[in-house]
Amino acid sequence: MTPDGRSLLRLSSVRVFYDSVEALKGVSLHVNEGEIVALVGANGAGKSTTLNAICGLTPVRAGEMTLQGQSLTGLRPDQVVRLGITQVPEGRQIVGEMTVLDNLVLGAYLRLRAREKAAVREDLERILGMFPILQERRNQAAGNLSGGEQQMLAVGRALMARPRLLLLDEPTIGLAPRLAHQILDTVAGLRAQGTTILLVEQNVLASLRVADRGYVLETGRVVLEGPSDELLRNRDVQRAYLGKDYEEV
Amino acid sequence: MRGGGWARSRILGLTLFAAAIFTFGLTVHSGYLLGMAVLIALHALVALGLGLLMGWAGQISLGHAGFYGLGAYASAILTTRFGLNPWLALVLGAVGTGLIAFAVGKPTLRLRGHYLAMGTLGLGLIIWTVFNQAATWTEGPSGIRDIPVLSLGGLALDNDQRFYWLIWPVVLVAVMLAGNLINSRMGRALRALGENEGAAAAAGVDVARAKLGVFTLSAVLASIAGSFYAHYVTFVNPSPFGFALSIQLMTMVVVGGEMTVWGPLVGAGVLTVLHQVLAISAQRIPAMEGLEVVAYGAVLVIFLLFRPQGLVAPLRRRGAPPRAAEPPAPRADEVVGEAS
């Protein structure tokens, strides 16, 4: 699929090395405005590395990354956030000793510096409305929340930045299936509100169900791409997915 | 007082603190006790800044005695040699110390890990050596005498009582400002990065710059305290500003607790009194000589092992069960209101 004019994020032939090991061997992908794009693959395929490269957490050795034509290559993590890309990092990374409310407001760090106080207040109310459990426990230390609640908090905090592009790294990892579905439903709901999302998941089936399009990564390469329903019907994907399932059982 | 962001507990704390300052100042007339109180206040100022650095930015400085000394020597030299107004000397000393801290912090804070501790350890030793060796300016180990006292509105602050009434209100204001910082947008960012750098970076906090800011601020506070010291004692020599004081200051923060503004204050009190007790015992019982350093080490280790949160711990801790009775919930707009 070729990127069209609406393409928000574009990676072309991005290569990343960990010392001499090539973790990304020329990854190209794009995310259009308003889409949910899933990045799926097994452990070690390079999914998180791709997200970390976009966020400026991992240096890129070759290739180009752009957000609406603006280069992301070589930027610091906080500069990437400033451009409108917010990541929900793997493992949630909430601040356990701060209250739920403070964690959420932390997400609006840059917007508060820009004195968008009223808008931030509005978003805070909106996000608390979206996640009733956070509303209920807003004055508790975030470390006291359950795993699923912490994940919702991490998503909520990312949304407080009003990102143009939201990067979700394994949002359902370690969650019970029911909670995992709840999180992915939330993700689908965000798209309805116009948020563009790049979703990294090991849970191939579930993530392709909420995504518009998907990329399958294998050992640092994109081996398959296309609309989600096509990928779901693809026999290789089915086999790989089922095979992985057997291993996991 | 922006946006009604002052929690009731904070106002209560500051009021009680102010009341304690007044009560002590009005009822105690012993020069020895007032002098001790002044010393505690000076240490508290340094510990307050160091507490921000250790508790909120998760970094350790082993050179704060050096910054304290820089303030003291800047004031001593600028007033005795150049006849500058002591208040102006205090400001110049603070600016100079801030610049030095910035220069040392900038490269070391870009790196992860405790490089700042190494850098400041070296810097502290260099500063101490300069105090001893640059005798043309510092008079070497014999020190600088006849430093003028501070005066306020024509009143010379030339005794313990008068100085007490200057320094403790200064500490009160510093505690107030530190509290403001902690409750601000910046403070939230610092709190986050002290506990979880990943979370702070994901929120767009420039982690290195935030740490550098707190470190510089803590050095400036130490320098201001040092200037006050010079004008209070009216004499400086290198010996108080060595590595031992840096350790003592760090111990104050650990003992008092680094996660509230009150912790370093309490720690300064406890450690300064302990220091005096040990010094007196050493005079009376020769066998106690030199035991001081051992005592600090023991106190530090005991606290790190058995009460790492310090004497004054914040109300909420990770892993603590949700409390049945939550305090009245601040509304969302109140929280954002604090954040400007």
Side-chain angles (χ1 to χ4, degrees):
Chain A
M1 175 170 281
T2 50
D4 60 26
R6 293 177 305 144
S7 161
L8 182 66
L9 175 79
R10 192 174 308 181
L11 269 63
S12 35
S13 316
V14 168
R15 299 174 69 193
V16 168
F17 288 76
Y18 292 125
D19 292 323
S20 59
V21 180
E22 190 166 11
L24 293 187
K25 302 166 181 166
V27 169
S28 298
L29 58 84
H30 68 275
V31 181
N32 295 329
E33 194 108 48
E35 267 187 326
I36 297 184
V37 172
L39 203 55
V40 299
N43 230 340
K47 306 181 305 283
S48 292
T49 305
T50 308
L51 285 199
N52 287 340
I54 296 169
C55 293
L57 292 166
T58 304
V60 167
R61 194 172 293 184
E64 254 306 304
M65 305 185 295
T66 56
L67 184 77
Q68 281 191 332
Q70 195 165 2
S71 177
L72 299 173
T73 321
L75 295 186
R76 282 196 317 266
D78 59 288
Q79 292 170 322
V80 174
V81 177
R82 209 160 297 168
L83 285 180
I85 299 181
T86 305
Q87 185 184 16
V88 178
E90 194 181 349
R92 299 158 202 146
Q93 306 268 14
I94 52 124
V95 187
E97 288 186 4
M98 291 192 345
T99 62
V100 168
L101 218 49
D102 270 341
N103 268 279
L104 286 172
V105 177
L106 173 69
Y109 175 78
L110 290 170
R111 295 174 62 202
L112 286 171
R113 189 163 70 181
R115 312 235 166 248
E116 297 174 24
K117 222 191 253 184
V120 167
R121 205 168 293 172
E122 237 166 66
D123 283 4
L124 187 59
E125 293 297 350
R126 188 171 56 86
I127 287 162
L128 286 173
M130 228 164 87
F131 301 102
I133 190 70
L134 298 184
Q135 168 79 294
E136 201 177 293
R137 319 190 82 180
R138 59 192 177 168
N139 291 307
Q140 291 185 18
N144 291 340
L145 300 182
S146 74
E149 290 162 1
Q150 290 189 6
Q151 189 62 58
M152 290 180 191
L153 177 57
V155 173
R157 183 187 63 201
L159 291 175
M160 286 296 293
R162 249 192 213 180
R164 293 155 77 189
L165 174 65
L166 184 64
L167 307 180
L168 289 171
D169 197 354
E170 309 265 14
T172 68
I173 201 164
L175 295 184
R178 196 178 52 82
L179 276 173
H181 274 116
Q182 210 177 326
I183 293 281
L184 289 174
D185 284 348
T186 308
V187 171
L190 292 178
R191 196 240 329 251
Q193 296 173 22
T195 312
T196 309
I197 296 167
L198 180 58
L199 171 68
V200 158
E201 261 298 337
Q202 261 180 311
N203 188 342
V204 178
L205 192 62
S207 60
L208 283 177
R209 276 188 181 147
V210 298
D212 300 294
R213 289 190 301 116
Y215 292 85
V216 181
L217 277 182
E218 240 175 66
T219 58
R221 268 186 238 287
V222 175
V223 291
L224 262 178
E225 59 176 290
S228 299
D229 45 351
E230 268 176 36
L231 288 179
L232 281 171
R233 284 197 304 270
N234 185 295
R235 296 189 56 186
D236 288 334
V237 172
Q238 284 179 355
R239 198 177 307 125
Y241 176 64
L242 288 173
K244 198 165 82 65
D245 220 31
Y246 274 118
E247 276 171 30
E248 278 178 349
V249 168
Chain B
M1 292 203 205
R2 288 160 291 181
W6 286 56
R8 230 176 303 162
S9 61
R10 252 186 94 198
I11 296 173
L12 183 69
L14 288 169
T15 311
L16 285 177
F17 183 39
I21 292 174
F22 264 94
T23 313
F24 190 91
L26 292 176
T27 55
V28 174
H29 301 285
S30 142
Y32 176 73
L33 287 180
L34 285 168
M36 184 100 114
V38 168
L39 209 57
I40 291 174
L42 293 170
H43 287 157
L45 277 180
V46 188
L48 188 64
L50 194 58
L52 289 175
L53 180 72
M54 285 168 62
W56 304 87
Q59 290 286 325
I60 288 174
S61 163
L62 294 172
H64 262 56
F67 298 131
Y68 186 53
L70 280 177
Y73 269 90
S75 282
I77 294 171
L78 290 173
T79 51
T80 57
R81 296 241 174 169
F82 301 96
L84 248 58
N85 177 298
W87 293 104
L88 181 61
L90 179 145
V91 171
L92 290 178
V95 171
T97 305
L99 288 175
I100 290 172
F102 185 86
V104 172
K106 189 147 174 79
T108 45
L109 286 170
R110 290 256 157 229
L111 306 167
R112 282 187 182 224
H114 283 303
Y115 290 93
L116 184 74
M118 308 292 278
T120 48
L121 172 64
L123 181 69
L125 293 174
I126 292 170
I127 291 171
W128 191 75
T129 310
V130 169
F131 289 162
N132 273 299
Q133 302 297 325
T136 345
W137 292 99
T138 65
E139 312 285 344
S142 51
I144 301 171
R145 273 157 220 295
D146 301 325
I147 301 166
V149 294
L150 285 168
S151 54
L152 206 59
L155 181 72
L157 306 173
D158 53 3
N159 63 33
D160 292 321
Q161 191 155 28
R162 288 176 179 174
F163 207 84
Y164 174 92
W165 287 110
L166 166 74
I167 197 72
W168 275 102
V170 167
V171 174
L172 180 68
V173 170
V175 166
M176 223 156 73
L177 293 178
N180 269 357
L181 176 71
I182 286 168
N183 286 310
S184 72
R185 180 184 62 89
M186 200 62 211
R188 192 178 293 114
L190 289 175
R191 228 179 328 164
L193 81 83
E195 192 195 328
N196 187 335
E197 273 199 37
V205 177
D206 184 341
V207 171
R209 212 174 93 182
K211 285 182 191 168
L212 185 58
V214 187
F215 174 59
T216 308
L217 176 71
S218 74
V220 166
L221 255 178
S223 169
I224 291 173
S227 290
F228 279 127
Y229 171 90
H231 292 299
Y232 167 64
V233 182
T234 69
F235 165 73
V236 294
N237 72 346
S239 64
F241 307 114
F243 183 60
L245 180 64
S246 284
I247 295 293
Q248 206 186 330
L249 290 164
M250 207 177 74
T251 312
M252 287 174 191
V253 176
V254 172
V255 166
E258 50 189 33
M259 295 311 285
T260 79
V261 288
W262 305 108
L265 224 66
V266 171
V270 171
L271 265 284
T272 309
V273 170
L274 178 69
H275 182 89
Q276 290 298 315
V277 169
L278 290 171
I280 292 169
S281 349
Q283 277 171 13
R284 306 231 165 116
I285 313 163
M288 296 278 289
E289 187 91 52
L291 223 62
E292 226 173 273
V293 182
V294 180
Y296 293 141
V299 167
L300 193 58
V301 170
I302 288 168
F303 267 84
L304 287 176
L305 282 178
F306 299 111
R307 197 169 165 85
Q309 71 272 37
L311 291 171
V312 189
L315 292 174
R316 290 193 193 85
R317 289 207 317 276
R318 198 214 312 251
R323 283 176 300 152
E326 282 290 319
R331 293 193 324 275
D333 58 324
E334 287 175 349
V335 175
V336 180
E338 289 172 27
S340 63

